[in-house]
Amino acid sequence: MSHWVARAEDLSKRKSRARLGKIGHSGWAVRSQRGLSAPGSMGEGPGRQRGPRGPPSSGTGHGVGKAAGTGARELSTGGQGARRDEGRSRAGVVRMVRRSQRWKLQKFTGLCGQEGLRVKRSCPSCGPEPGGEEKKGRGNPISVQLFPPELVEHIISFLPVRDVVALGQTCHYFREVCDTEGVWRRICRRLSPRLREQGSGVRPWKRAAILNYTKGLYFQAFGGRRRCLSKSVAPLLAHGYRRFLPTKDHVFILDYVGTLFFFKNALVSSTLGQIQWKRACRYVVLCRGAKDFASDPRCDTVYRKYLYVLATREQLGVAGTTGSRACDCVEVYLQSSGQRVFKMTFHHSMSFKQIVLVGQETQRALLLLTEEGKIYSLVVNETQLDQPRSYTVQLALRKVSHCLPHLRVACMASNQSSTVYITDQGGVYFEVHTPGVYRDLFGTLQAFDPLDQQMPLALSLPAKILFCALGYNHLGLVDEFGRIFMQGNNRYGQLGTGDKMDRGEPTQVHYLQRPIALWCGLNHSLVLSQGLDFSKELLGCGCGAGGRLPGWPKGSASFVKLHVKVPLCACSLCSTRECLYMLSSHDIEHHPAYRDLPASRVVGNPEPSPGAGAPQDPGGTAQACEEYLSQIHSCPTLQDRMEKMKEIVGWMPLMAAQKDFFWEALDMLQTAAGGVGEGPPTPDS
């Protein structure tokens, strides 16, 4: 009996507390209801429960509480309590569903534990997780290697390309997972859904994904108020960008599967509602199956009226046979509208890989390079291409391949009156067709024969040449050691040698090495280089009129850093009268394989004799510094000495950050010496 009396007293105390809770805060009544157990419930002793507002209330969940529970439910009547009960029931259902899903996951993976599942951050091959012994009570760590590889690859494929590359640098396991073709196949299909084939190469899917991730055409106009870098529209059909060519009104881009795109300039509406002229904002597919294309070789895009496309087309067989054959042809398009006006088809036994143009409009010579390294040429009259008629042209072997049959030409470059051939062994041969350009390039007319203009002239070079750039009357070459050699007219300082003296033979530019791209124009040159931190920068020299050297309006006789923001994956460049273009595309299987220059071949470092010690002046540094001081001393005024010092800083083999520091410091000193009347230097000064 005493036991039941004690329970009754306890029940009366609970009722009184519930009434007080109803008078003060309705939340107490709800909490008091939770504190009581229904008949047959399994409580585990006393517990403390706190309501949403107010002090905590104690309750015993053990024993008979039917009457007390009934009273508590009567006290908890009201809309707020009913809604809370409904919310708690929903939360309970959600917890049950989550527990069921967790149990299914553990059953599927076979990783069951009483204390839950925890994935180890680092892989076992990299050692134990730091601080793992101190973390107790969290269960045994599970390696990510125990998950199915297909599941891990599927999850990683949703990351951006930059994050996939960063994840692959964390440990050996993620490096192998992030480098699998399955991951890159999913990434490639996400970036280019319409790409059906993965291309060629050792790693086709990774190469295709990176090509489509890094593709882009950037341009910066020389005139106007806004002198910032802009990006053109990027077609989804393009499989990377292989090369580009700006014409008078538009830009043409060739991708890696042979699709030639026609980027149009058009009038578009800006965000402010204004109509403005925008470059490369719309695109169409000009043709497919293209191998190469070319236009007028002059630097001025006004003369580029036609576009010559070297392509492969299926031709019907001869009479009496079935099937078709793949034949190479040259198709001529109008650059203004993209309309095809002319087509030349070659025999199926001849396969070409490159096309360049040389000569005037009335005697336009098309030079075609075969897969075997032979050069063929034919002549057309551009002024008659738009006339609807058919005629036969003569395809003849060029003299460089006729006189030197053992040579295998790897690539070629041309301008209006000269052509350069680079063989597979790194040799360079010249064709010059006018006496004026010959004098600018070689400084003499002694060996020029006006009756035999196709006779190739060999250039004497110390190493194998990888690629070149040909301007109107000057030339740039890059050898296998990354050295740059310049030759030709230097009236505006376009050779970058620090002076304005012409060079009749290749002359090395000592302070520039390992360029990514080289371009020579009418009277200025550009070099795309890469720093130690893989950042790109654009250097230029020569005439700066018209803004063609941003930041250097007066030009420079040495290569200086231009005020242009260069994309991270820029690979080639081109400059016109109105605009500077840069093509962005990274091919993991194609990059200049420069070699380290042997110590015995460094300029100014002679061959060491057997009994001699280390050279006292490697590279001729002391002699060069003496020459620099004599040039500074010969300047009459302080301002001239400052300008000469800026040029010398550009010549010296310093890092880009060091050159920028010295140039800024010299600008400050020059401004201070100029007097109060001059303001602070502007970026264009």
Side-chain angles (χ1 to χ4, degrees):
M1 292 293 294
S2 60
H3 175 72
W4 291 107
V5 172
R7 289 297 177 89
E9 291 177 357
D10 188 21
L11 184 59
S12 63
K13 290 180 181 180
R14 292 184 184 179
K15 289 183 178 181
S16 61
R17 290 174 183 172
R19 292 191 186 96
L20 291 175
K22 184 177 182 181
I23 295 173
H25 299 281
S26 61
W28 290 11
V30 178
R31 291 297 178 183
S32 63
Q33 178 186 356
R34 294 180 58 189
L36 298 176
S37 301
S41 63
M42 298 179 63
E44 296 183 358
R48 296 179 59 86
Q49 296 180 353
R50 184 183 298 272
R53 296 182 298 274
S57 61
S58 62
T60 58
H62 181 73
V64 180
K66 182 175 182 180
T70 305
R73 284 193 295 270
E74 292 174 356
L75 292 174
S76 62
T77 56
Q80 184 176 2
R83 286 193 298 270
R84 291 183 178 177
D85 291 341
E86 184 180 358
R88 291 190 190 94
S89 63
R90 292 180 179 177
V93 173
V94 172
R95 285 194 295 270
M96 292 177 61
V97 172
R98 290 179 179 175
R99 283 196 297 268
S100 176
Q101 293 177 350
R102 191 181 303 114
W103 179 81
K104 290 181 180 179
L105 177 62
Q106 292 177 356
K107 182 179 180 181
F108 173 73
T109 56
L111 305 174
C112 299
Q114 296 180 357
E115 299 181 0
L117 176 66
R118 185 163 65 93
V119 179
K120 193 174 182 180
R121 294 183 179 179
S122 60
C123 67
S125 60
C126 300
E129 185 179 2
E133 299 179 356
E134 301 177 358
K135 299 178 181 180
K136 297 181 179 180
R138 296 187 180 181
N140 297 327
I142 304 302
S143 173
V144 72
Q145 291 180 333
L146 297 179
F147 288 96
E150 296 80 5
L151 178 62
V152 179
E153 293 178 4
H154 183 72
I155 295 174
I156 293 177
S157 64
F158 287 95
L159 296 176
V161 176
R162 184 185 298 270
D163 296 340
V164 173
V165 176
L167 182 62
Q169 298 174 353
T170 56
C171 66
H172 179 69
Y173 172 75
F174 280 118
R175 179 182 180 182
E176 292 182 351
V177 174
C178 295
D179 205 39
T180 58
E181 284 294 283
V183 172
W184 291 107
R185 181 178 66 253
R186 295 186 181 95
I187 294 176
C188 185
R189 289 178 177 175
R190 176 165 51 88
L191 294 175
S192 300
R194 300 183 180 181
L195 183 64
R196 301 302 180 186
E197 299 180 359
Q198 71 272 23
S200 59
V202 180
R203 304 294 309 280
W205 285 112
K206 182 177 181 179
R207 177 172 179 259
I210 295 179
L211 281 174
N212 288 278
Y213 178 75
T214 58
K215 67 181 180 182
L217 177 64
Y218 298 84
F219 55 90
Q220 178 172 331
F222 295 142
R225 297 180 180 179
R226 297 184 59 185
R227 297 184 181 180
C228 60
L229 199 66
S230 303
K231 185 178 180 180
S232 68
V233 62
L236 294 176
L237 297 175
H239 179 45
Y241 289 162
R242 181 179 165 191
R243 63 177 299 246
F244 76 105
L245 178 68
T247 58
K248 179 181 178 181
D249 303 316
H250 310 292
V251 181
F252 296 88
I253 295 182
L254 179 65
D255 70 351
Y256 280 84
V257 295
T259 305
L260 186 59
F261 292 90
F262 181 22
F263 284 67
K264 297 183 178 181
N265 304 335
L267 291 172
V268 297
S269 177
S270 64
T271 56
L272 301 178
Q274 301 176 353
I275 302 298
Q276 60 181 2
W277 181 258
K278 192 173 182 180
R279 297 178 182 271
C281 61
R282 299 174 183 174
Y283 73 92
V284 295
V285 176
L286 185 67
C287 67
R288 302 182 186 274
K291 293 184 176 181
D292 195 16
F293 63 101
S295 186
D296 192 291
R298 284 174 284 191
C299 298
D300 196 348
T301 57
V302 176
Y303 300 104
R304 298 176 183 175
K305 181 179 179 182
Y306 295 100
L307 186 74
Y308 294 77
V309 180
L310 176 63
T312 301
R313 298 287 182 261
E314 293 290 336
Q315 298 291 334
L316 297 177
V318 296
T321 62
T322 59
S324 59
R325 293 178 177 178
C327 300
D328 286 353
C329 64
V330 173
E331 299 176 344
V332 184
Y333 295 86
L334 280 173
Q335 70 87 26
S336 57
S337 61
Q339 178 185 1
R340 193 181 73 179
V341 296
F342 192 72
K343 181 180 180 180
M344 294 173 284
T345 304
F346 307 106
H347 194 264
H348 63 85
S349 62
M350 305 188 68
S351 179
F352 303 100
K353 65 178 182 179
Q354 188 182 1
I355 179 174
V356 297
L357 307 182
V358 65
Q360 300 287 341
E361 291 88 343
T362 56
Q363 292 290 323
R364 183 75 74 195
L366 279 67
L367 304 184
L368 299 168
L369 175 62
T370 65
E371 298 288 348
E372 294 78 17
K374 302 299 181 181
I375 306 294
Y376 288 86
S377 65
L378 59 91
V379 180
V380 297
N381 188 355
E382 280 192 358
T383 60
Q384 300 178 358
L385 288 179
D386 54 352
Q387 299 179 5
R389 66 189 187 91
S390 176
Y391 60 93
T392 303
V393 295
Q394 182 68 29
L395 187 66
L397 190 66
R398 200 72 173 178
K399 196 165 188 176
V400 63
S401 297
H402 181 73
C403 297
L404 304 172
H406 62 283
L407 293 180
R408 182 184 177 93
V409 179
C411 62
M412 53 185 178
S414 68
N415 62 16
Q416 185 180 2
S417 55
S418 59
T419 310
V420 176
Y421 306 105
I422 299 179
T423 65
D424 57 348
Q425 300 297 325
V428 179
Y429 292 85
F430 236 121
E431 278 187 18
V432 184
H433 306 152
T434 58
V437 175
Y438 190 96
R439 184 188 297 109
D440 289 336
L441 288 173
F442 298 99
T444 180
L445 290 175
Q446 183 176 0
F448 179 74
D449 186 2
L451 302 178
D452 191 6
Q453 299 177 358
Q454 294 186 12
M455 176 60 66
L457 304 174
L459 294 183
S460 177
L461 294 163
K464 177 181 178 180
I465 297 299
L466 297 183
F467 60 93
C468 69
L470 183 60
Y472 172 68
N473 52 12
H474 71 288
L475 170 71
L477 303 167
V478 180
D479 69 353
E480 58 182 338
F481 302 110
R483 298 176 297 182
I484 299 178
F485 296 88
M486 305 295 290
Q487 177 181 348
N489 186 283
N490 199 22
R491 179 180 179 183
Y492 297 93
Q494 60 262 41
L495 300 184
T497 55
D499 52 33
K500 297 184 178 180
M501 298 175 57
D502 297 345
R503 299 294 195 277
E505 58 184 11
T507 304
Q508 182 182 355
V509 182
H510 294 282
Y511 56 91
L512 285 182
Q513 290 183 352
R514 298 177 179 265
I516 297 176
L518 175 65
W519 185 85
C520 295
L522 181 63
N523 47 29
H524 72 291
S525 304
L526 301 175
V527 169
L528 182 64
S529 64
Q530 179 175 284
L532 298 177
D533 56 348
F534 298 100
S535 62
K536 303 278 189 355
E537 61 181 11
L538 187 61
L539 307 175
C541 65
C543 179
R548 64 190 67 184
L549 296 180
W552 302 85
K554 296 182 180 180
S556 175
S558 59
F559 282 96
V560 293
K561 183 179 179 181
L562 304 183
H563 296 179
V564 177
K565 184 179 179 181
V566 183
L568 183 62
C569 297
C571 61
S572 63
L573 69 155
C574 178
S575 180
T576 64
R577 180 182 295 181
E578 304 87 6
C579 193
L580 171 67
Y581 295 91
M582 286 181 287
L583 189 71
S584 173
S585 182
H586 180 68
D587 190 355
I588 61 176
E589 297 181 359
H590 175 73
H591 52 85
Y594 293 125
R595 297 171 51 195
D596 293 331
L597 186 66
S600 60
R601 301 182 63 176
V602 178
V603 177
N605 190 11
E607 291 281 352
S609 58
Q616 300 295 327
D617 185 20
T621 307
Q623 182 179 359
C625 291
E626 292 179 0
E627 179 66 23
Y628 295 156
L629 287 176
S630 63
Q631 294 180 11
I632 295 175
H633 183 71
S634 62
C635 296
T637 62
L638 178 61
Q639 297 293 334
D640 294 339
R641 292 182 178 181
M642 289 287 187
E643 294 292 340
K644 178 58 68 175
M645 186 61 192
K646 290 181 183 179
E647 293 183 4
I648 293 174
V649 169
W651 303 339
M652 300 179 71
L654 302 175
M655 297 180 64
Q658 296 173 341
K659 290 183 179 181
D660 293 340
F661 167 74
F662 284 116
W663 283 331
E664 292 293 338
L666 290 172
D667 284 337
M668 294 172 61
L669 295 176
Q670 188 174 7
T671 303
V676 186
E678 297 183 3
T682 61
D684 292 337
S685 64

